Amino acid sequence: MADLIIRNGTVVDGTGAPPVAGDVEVTDGVITAVGAVDGTATREIDAEGLLVTPGFVDIHTHFDGQVTWDPVVAPSSLHGVTTIAMGNCGVGFAPAAPDRHAWLISLLEGVEDIPGTALTEGLTWNWESFPEYLDALAAMPHTVDMGAHVPHAALRTYVMGERGADHTEAPSEGEMAQMAQLVREAMAAGAIGFATSRTEIHRTSTGENIGTLTAGDAELLAIAEALRESGTGVVQLISDLYQTPDDAFAQQELDLLERFVRASGRPLSFTMQQAYHSPDRWRFQMDWVDRMVSAGLDVKAQVATRPIGVLLGLQATANPFLFCSSYAEIAPLPLAERVAALREPERKRRILEEHTQVASGLEPGIFRQIMCGFDVIFRLTDPVDYELHTDRSVAAQARSAGVEPISMVYDLLLHGDGEQLLYLPLFNFAHGDFEDLHDMITAPNVLFGLSDAGAHCGAICDASMTTSSLTVWSRDRRDGGRVPIEAIVHGNTQRNARHVGWLDRGVVAPGHVADLNVIDLDALACHPPTIVHDLPAGGRRLMQTASGYRFTVKSGEVTFEDGEHTGALPGGLLRGTNS
Ligand SMILES: [Zn+2]
């Protein structure tokens, strides 16, 4: 008798093939039959009218700290994710010399906006080397399977000490050899690859550039050689390719990536985003990716299926009034007192006046956008409408209501006793609609990624991109073309898994790991993110729930039923790949 049979579902199998009606049988954590299944099972689920998909594979998370104390791995696990990759963008907690703990925490606090107090209390540091970190993860069951890249920033400071955190310092020959040796050891112990960051945006909590920012050829090629020798794993990175309109810089970076791929012989993916100030730069990068692929190199662009969005709010990291002195003086107050103060008409008048003054002196950029990008600031409805268009922005709503946008934003932030959040797309929204994003996510050589789940705890909550990719692109889009559901499911499953080398998952077919979602597509919805204080030491993070995931199954066990964790923890550490 089988353990589980999901009957009468519409199977979207993850390969990109169109949906077909069928049953799915599971035994010992593995899919044993798909199609018309006879026989019986210990548990049967009626999936009449529901989709059956593989569990989702999120290759770009920053749960490196959280998974050491939290087995549930929300919010990702609430959005159909059954496998995650960590150590992305070159940041993580191993290897970690005993005297570098505080620095590593400041790195993750600065780069990824994860509260340092939560990390300080939550991390047990019962590891020093990367293999020991993997052992610590392996000792603890989770709802999802997880794999980790070797993070370059941690590796560099482990080997070079203080100098490793300074990007102007180059490692000696001996230090490069040691980094290469540690990468070989990490790969042998089960790392899924190597990750690094080359962006000015990534800074420690004290504002310093990341040590890997300008790591040169010699250092990177020594690491590439180690990857070649180990013959496994992927390379993931972020560079300022999208930041600068300077083609010469971008080309120089792309040339470096090409040398790295050729030297390592390993698949590489990098962050691709559309910035407001250089809306066509990603097309230039995409052309390069296509050329590399034509030349036989395994290069992919990681793209987000919706605009990476900063959430603005009184409890969030950012809101439009942060730089107004009449706001700053009450900013430290508890929320209820702050809301009461903000409701005084005189304070509102002063803050709006100061806002105009401060904003007029700001250069174009992220701060200006946060303060007055009203044509790209959106209300979060329930469910959240993730198909953005400037016609639905706060500015547009203020115009039709005949009020000033800033006044409307002020009042909106006081809704729900000050818990209201507003959504500001940072990337992939340069022309105020989704036309470019459609081209980006349907391009041939991309991976769906960049959720940054587990990070940016007070600013970004994109772990739900798996859910919104289905609702927006396959079901709801009204301003332009949709994307077939099989393509969206494929991007969230087999394509990501195959890139990493996890060939045992991401497909609903016999012999594959029984990671499955049973989804009521009509009911599928993202609810608005909220701020919760459930990290260690009462640390703050954004949380987001979904409706419509009737069942999530990990290795044959139901882990979530209608959004509730069943208590099952069948997930664990994935050592390396099975390619
Ligand atoms: Zn990242």
Side-chain angles (χ1 to χ4, degrees):
M1 189 161 75
D3 295 328
L4 172 68
I5 296 175
I6 300 169
R7 291 205 187 274
N8 308 315
T10 301
V11 179
V12 185
D13 73 0
T15 65
V20 289
D23 310 326
V24 179
E25 181 195 73
V26 173
T27 310
D28 292 334
V30 174
I31 297 168
T32 39
V34 179
V37 172
D38 297 327
T40 55
T42 313
R43 179 164 188 187
E44 301 216 359
I45 289 174
D46 179 11
E48 179 77 50
L50 306 176
L51 294 182
V52 181
T53 74
F56 300 143
V57 179
D58 188 341
I59 55 171
H60 196 123
T61 80
H62 294 282
F63 281 117
D64 308 71
Q66 189 178 324
V67 293
T68 67
W69 66 74
D70 169 27
V72 180
V73 200
S76 294
S77 55
L78 305 176
H79 292 272
V81 172
T82 51
T83 302
I84 60 168
M86 309 182 293
N88 284 288
C89 302
V91 294
F93 296 103
D99 62 348
R100 305 300 304 176
H101 292 172
W103 182 81
L104 283 169
I105 286 172
S106 91
L107 181 69
L108 270 286
E109 184 171 28
V111 172
E112 304 293 351
D113 188 22
I114 302 172
T117 47
L119 293 169
T120 302
E121 176 150 319
L123 291 167
T124 54
W125 297 109
N126 50 337
W127 61 85
E128 175 169 332
S129 68
F130 192 85
E132 286 166 358
Y133 172 69
L134 292 185
D135 289 343
L137 297 183
M140 184 177 163
H142 291 81
T143 56
V144 298
D145 280 345
M146 66 196 91
H149 302 84
V150 183
H152 191 191
L155 176 72
R156 201 174 200 267
T157 50
Y158 185 77
V159 170
M160 296 170 64
E162 203 71 41
R163 289 171 41 248
D166 180 348
H167 74 101
T168 64
E169 289 278 352
S172 67
E173 290 285 331
E175 286 165 338
M176 282 189 272
Q178 201 191 338
M179 275 192 243
Q181 179 55 25
L182 291 171
V183 168
R184 271 189 293 271
E185 281 170 25
M187 297 309 296
I192 59 166
F194 168 80
T196 191
S197 163
R198 306 177 63 76
T199 174
E200 295 266 1
I201 290 183
H202 284 167
R203 289 171 187 257
T204 69
S205 60
T206 48
E208 274 105 54
N209 275 315
I210 194 160
T212 56
L213 177 66
T214 54
D217 265 46
E219 178 178 349
L220 289 174
L221 295 182
I223 290 166
E225 189 53 38
L227 290 169
R228 171 176 288 280
E229 284 167 35
S230 60
T232 178
V234 290
V235 181
Q236 181 276 335
L237 65 91
I238 180 169
S239 159
D240 277 337
L241 290 167
Y242 58 89
Q243 281 297 343
T244 158
D246 172 5
D247 279 339
F249 169 81
Q251 193 56 54
Q252 194 184 308
E253 283 290 282
L254 294 172
D255 290 346
L256 177 66
L257 303 198
E258 182 178 349
R259 289 195 293 279
F260 197 99
V261 178
R262 289 191 185 278
S264 66
R266 303 312 311 163
L268 175 144
S269 70
F270 66 94
T271 296
M272 179 182 283
Q273 307 187 108
Q274 180 193 43
Y276 286 101
H277 58 76
S278 55
D280 294 321
R281 174 134 304 263
W282 68 273
R283 294 188 191 271
F284 167 84
Q285 295 164 27
M286 198 72 95
D287 286 346
W288 176 83
V289 171
D290 293 343
R291 282 202 306 278
M292 292 299 106
V293 172
S294 304
L297 300 183
D298 193 343
V299 174
K300 296 246 173 22
Q302 266 193 44
V303 302
T305 52
R306 72 183 193 219
I308 307 275
V310 167
L311 295 166
L312 308 175
L314 299 180
Q315 292 192 97
T317 301
N319 75 58
F321 307 108
L322 284 183
F323 305 113
C324 304
S325 49
S326 300
Y327 180 79
E329 70 193 22
I330 56 166
L333 294 179
L335 183 65
E337 289 172 45
R338 221 170 345 138
V339 167
L342 288 166
R343 286 200 169 120
E344 295 158 12
E346 172 54 18
R347 182 165 306 266
K348 177 175 176 182
R349 193 194 60 74
R350 284 207 323 262
I351 289 178
L352 295 196
E353 198 177 285
E354 291 159 11
H355 183 274
T356 311
Q357 282 161 13
V358 178
S360 66
L362 278 179
E363 300 282 316
I366 173 69
F367 291 116
R368 194 179 156 80
Q369 214 128 34
I370 288 171
M371 282 196 75
C372 38
F374 306 118
D375 53 341
V376 290
I377 290 179
F378 295 85
R379 286 177 194 238
L380 291 169
T381 47
D382 188 6
V384 181
D385 180 3
Y386 277 112
E387 187 193 357
L388 307 181
H389 193 289
T390 43
D391 290 353
R392 296 187 280 274
S393 67
V394 168
Q397 293 181 350
R399 263 195 307 276
S400 50
V403 298
E404 285 297 315
I406 184 62
S407 176
M408 181 175 265
V409 163
Y410 189 101
D411 295 343
L412 281 173
L413 289 177
L414 292 172
H415 280 192
D417 293 322
E419 297 200 352
Q420 176 72 50
L421 296 166
L422 300 172
Y423 176 44
L424 168 68
L426 270 190
F427 296 108
N428 301 354
F429 197 59
H431 293 124
D433 62 33
F434 273 18
E435 286 305 302
D436 288 345
L437 186 55
H438 180 276
D439 291 351
M440 192 187 278
I441 69 165
T442 54
N445 297 309
V446 300
L447 299 171
F448 291 174
L450 312 187
S451 81
D452 270 354
H456 307 296
C457 299
I460 296 174
C461 194
D462 283 336
S464 59
M465 271 199 279
T466 48
T467 308
S468 66
S469 64
L470 289 166
T471 57
V472 169
W473 292 110
S474 300
R475 190 190 67 189
D476 294 342
R477 185 144 193 247
R478 51 211 193 268
D479 297 331
R482 295 183 187 164
V483 181
I485 193 154
E486 56 268 29
I488 295 296
V489 170
H490 175 61
N492 283 310
T493 58
Q494 186 193 29
R495 190 170 61 194
N496 277 353
R498 202 166 52 186
H499 173 77
V500 177
W502 290 324
L503 302 186
D504 63 348
R505 62 197 59 218
V507 182
V508 183
H512 286 76
V513 176
D515 295 351
L516 300 159
N517 284 308
V518 181
I519 300 170
D520 181 349
L521 185 62
D522 293 337
L524 194 65
C526 293
H527 300 296
T530 54
I531 298 264
V532 296
H533 291 85
D534 67 347
L535 290 179
R540 168 191 71 170
R541 66 168 168 157
L542 283 154
M543 180 53 63
Q544 184 168 23
T545 59
S547 294
Y549 290 101
R550 294 296 321 284
F551 301 92
T552 296
V553 176
K554 168 85 205 88
S555 297
E557 285 190 53
V558 176
T559 44
F560 290 87
E561 195 166 335
D562 290 319
E564 295 293 326
H565 180 214
T566 59
L569 298 172
L573 177 72
L574 295 175
R575 288 193 191 267
T577 64
N578 36 42
S579 56

